[in-house]
Each structure stands twice: as C-alpha cells, then as structure tokens.
C-alpha cells in the first residue's frame, strides 16, 4: 500500500504518528515490510509504504484495535488517490525481470 501525504506544518507530530502507525501495522499478520519516506525534491511530500502478503491480509489488518487507533486516522489524512498496487514485475540487482500474473482476475 502506498499512502502519500503533504505535510506543510507540524512535521514532528506527523512523524511521531507515522511511526506509531507503522509499528501497529507491522504487528499484524501478513505484514512483510514498511517504510516512511520523504521526497528529496519537495520535503513536504511524504509516503508511507507497506507491503503485505495479499490485499486480504492488509484489509484484515485494518480491523486490529491498535491499527484502528493509530494507523486509520493517519491514513485518512493521506491524499485521495489510489493506494493499493500489485507487483506485476520485479528485478533484483543484476537479475532478470520476473513477472507475476495479476490477482485481479
């Protein structure tokens, strides 16, 4: 999941909330990894990126109490745009491109 934010003020509070949200999500089954990133070109632009075993795992994670208390309010402040993406191709350094079938079928 990729949630983007524009934070013009109170950056420290946002970072603290994002860390709490990331920790709550990381505790849920199906969570693979997550990152809080910031644009190098436009520092008010942030991204919370999480990777899950499946879309279902992510959706089930949203039902957890800690997620409802920390992550859901933060995610509600993200930009209104698509946030769920599936990996269709990937490549390791020096490796070949590996493709996957879509789960949308």
């Amino acid at each position: 999941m990729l949630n983007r934010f524009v934070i013009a003020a109170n950056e420290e509070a946002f970072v603290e909330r994002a860390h709490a949200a990331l920790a709550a999500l990381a505790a849920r089954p199906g969570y693979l990894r997550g990152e809080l990133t910031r644009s190098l070109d436009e520092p008010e632009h942030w991204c919370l990126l999480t990777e899950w075993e499946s879309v279902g795992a992510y959706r089930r994670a949203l039902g957890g109490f800690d997620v409802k208390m920390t992550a859901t309010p933060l995610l509600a402040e993200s930009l209104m745009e698509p946030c769920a993406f599936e990996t269709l191709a990937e490549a390791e350094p020096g490796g070949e491109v590996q493709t996957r079938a879509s789960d949308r079928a």
Side-chain angles (χ1 to χ4, degrees), residues 67-102:
V67 172
K68 286 181 181 180
M69 298 306 294
T70 59
T72 301
L74 182 78
L75 298 176
E77 297 173 18
S78 66
L79 297 177
M80 294 299 292
E81 59 187 20
C83 66
F85 295 85
E86 63 179 341
T87 300
L88 299 177
E90 60 186 340
E92 297 293 329
E96 293 185 26
V97 174
Q98 304 292 319
T99 61
R100 297 182 190 173
S102 174

Side-chain angles (χ1 to χ4, degrees), residues 1-6 14 25 35-37 46-50 52 58 71 74-79 81-85:
M1 300 301 143
L2 183 125
N3 296 89
R4 295 187 326 123
F5 303 85
V6 177
F14 169 76
L25 292 166
E35 302 175 8
L36 176 63
T37 65
W46 294 76
C47 179
L48 182 63
L49 171 69
T50 57
W52 298 85
Y58 171 71
L74 182 78
L75 298 176
E77 297 173 18
S78 66
L79 297 177
E81 59 187 20
C83 66
F85 295 85

Side-chain angles (χ1 to χ4, degrees), residues 16-37:
E16 184 177 316
R17 293 174 61 220
H19 288 178
L22 193 56
L25 292 166
R28 302 301 299 164
Y31 175 91
L32 299 176
R33 67 180 197 89
E35 302 175 8
L36 176 63
T37 65

